[in-house]
Amino acid sequence: MNNPEEQLKEMQRKLQNMFGGKRGGKAPKGMFGLGAAIVTLGALGVGLNASLFNVDGGHRAIKYSRISGIKPEIYSEGTHLRIPWIETPIIYDVRAKPTSIQSLTGTKDLQMVNIVCRVLSRPNQAELPHIFRTLGTNYDERVLPSIINEVLKGVVAQFNPSQLITQRDKVSRLIREYLTERALYFNLVLDDVSLTHITFSPEFASAVEAKQIAQQDAQRAAFIVERAKMEKQSTIVRAKGEAASAELIGEAIQSQPGFLELRRIETARDIAQILQKSGNRLVLDANSLLLNVTESSSVENPKR
């Protein structure tokens, strides 16, 4: 036993008995059973993982089978079963998604207007299998641009540019009705339709500005003419009033000779009040200022 060669051979025999047994013999049953259990558990885990699929909130799912094609069942949120490698889940986002489409459209009088239409769309959940068969998963990119452009061109052509501004509620209502009807044909539901921007061509904007300037000039000219008419009427009325006043004064002088003396006294009193309020010191002739009221007037002494 002390021979190294014999010790090496003995060790080889022990290792063969432990793992492989003797040449041509059978391996121990415990090792094969443990390995088979591990492989079985791994296969079960992979199979179970491949048999489950999750549907998040706000989503719906349908199944595609390699045997029967699209199945009619619709799966809501949660975890569901499928047959691995035979059934494939197809998940749809059924929440409303915004889409903005810009369209260059002609109006009733052939003016070009640029309109941006924004819609909130979502698929009809009950028709998801039919949507997948006909449109696929990118249904909104296939349908919305074409129907929005078509409806915008059809509705805007019924109005002129000014009506698009003054009757915007009516235009939006018509576009919403027509778009909703067209989208239902493709199993799409529109929650909201709105016109976010309406812009006209630079040529039309310049024409509108020139028209407004012309209207303002016409209104200004009409105002000037009306003011001239009023001034003329005022002059006529003032002239008639002065003529009537002169006539009445002439009659008063003829019938009452003291009328001029009364007016002279009133004028002298007004001058005296003005000089009284003035802070300046003046030395003036009473006769020149009509303040000599004690002097006999030319009415009483016409020969003087």
Side-chain angles (χ1 to χ4, degrees):
M1 296 296 294
N2 294 328
N3 191 353
E5 295 181 357
E6 293 180 356
Q7 292 179 358
L8 180 60
K9 292 180 179 178
E10 184 68 21
M11 186 178 296
Q12 289 178 353
R13 285 195 298 267
K14 289 182 180 180
L15 292 174
Q16 289 177 357
N17 292 331
M18 183 179 298
F19 294 99
K22 296 180 180 180
R23 183 173 299 178
K26 296 181 180 180
K29 295 182 179 180
M31 294 299 294
F32 280 109
L34 180 61
I38 293 174
V39 172
T40 303
L41 289 177
L44 289 176
V46 173
L48 181 61
N49 184 51
S51 300
L52 299 176
F53 68 93
N54 295 323
V55 180
D56 297 331
H59 295 71
R60 296 292 184 273
I62 58 177
K63 286 182 181 179
Y64 168 74
S65 175
R66 296 178 184 269
I67 300 174
S68 59
I70 299 296
K71 293 188 175 182
E73 292 82 6
I74 299 172
Y75 299 90
S76 59
E77 296 94 339
T79 302
H80 305 278
L81 294 172
R82 69 186 180 99
I83 301 175
W85 303 289
I86 295 179
E87 294 179 341
T88 302
I90 301 168
I91 300 176
Y92 276 89
D93 187 355
V94 295
R95 295 171 294 185
K97 294 187 296 182
T99 302
S100 296
I101 302 296
Q102 183 176 354
S103 177
L104 185 63
T105 309
T107 60
K108 186 176 181 180
D109 54 357
L110 304 181
Q111 294 290 340
M112 301 306 295
V113 56
N114 195 6
I115 298 180
V116 178
C117 181
R118 182 179 183 272
V119 299
L120 290 177
S121 62
R122 55 185 174 85
N124 186 359
Q125 299 181 20
E127 299 295 335
L128 287 180
H130 181 70
I131 293 176
F132 182 77
R133 287 192 187 97
T134 57
L135 300 174
T137 55
N138 58 343
Y139 57 90
D140 50 349
E141 297 178 2
R142 296 182 178 221
V143 174
L144 291 179
S146 59
I147 64 174
I148 289 177
N149 276 288
E150 179 184 359
V151 170
L152 285 177
K153 292 181 184 298
V155 173
V156 173
Q158 303 175 16
F159 301 88
N160 57 42
S162 61
Q163 291 174 338
L164 291 178
I165 303 300
T166 59
Q167 301 181 19
R168 186 165 181 168
D169 294 339
K170 182 179 179 180
V171 176
S172 298
R173 178 174 53 81
L174 291 176
I175 292 175
R176 185 181 303 110
E177 292 176 356
Y178 294 156
L179 269 181
T180 303
E181 182 179 355
R182 288 299 309 276
L184 287 177
Y185 178 78
F186 298 97
N187 297 307
L188 300 182
V189 179
L190 301 184
D191 294 331
D192 181 67
V193 178
S194 59
L195 301 179
T196 57
H197 294 86
I198 298 179
T199 56
F200 299 96
S201 62
E203 295 78 8
F204 178 77
S206 301
V208 171
E209 184 179 0
K211 181 179 179 181
Q212 291 178 347
I213 293 174
Q215 290 178 349
Q216 293 176 357
D217 292 340
Q219 292 177 355
R220 187 180 299 109
F223 173 75
I224 293 173
V225 172
E226 188 67 23
R227 185 176 64 182
K229 290 181 180 179
M230 296 297 295
E231 290 178 353
K232 179 180 179 180
Q233 187 68 22
S234 175
T235 303
I236 293 173
V237 173
R238 184 168 58 252
K240 289 181 179 180
E242 292 177 353
S245 176
E247 184 178 357
L248 292 175
I249 292 174
E251 293 178 355
I253 292 174
Q254 292 179 0
S255 60
Q256 297 180 0
F259 177 76
L260 289 178
E261 185 66 22
L262 178 61
R263 295 299 297 269
R264 191 171 71 87
I265 294 174
E266 291 177 354
T267 302
R269 182 184 60 190
D270 295 338
I271 295 174
Q273 291 178 355
I274 293 173
L275 294 177
Q276 182 180 3
K277 295 178 181 179
S278 176
N280 298 326
R281 294 183 179 182
L282 301 175
V283 179
L284 298 173
D285 187 6
N287 292 327
S288 61
L289 294 178
L290 302 179
L291 295 178
N292 191 5
V293 296
T294 59
E295 183 180 358
S296 299
S297 64
S298 59
V299 178
E300 295 178 353
N301 301 314
K303 297 182 181 180
R304 184 178 177 181

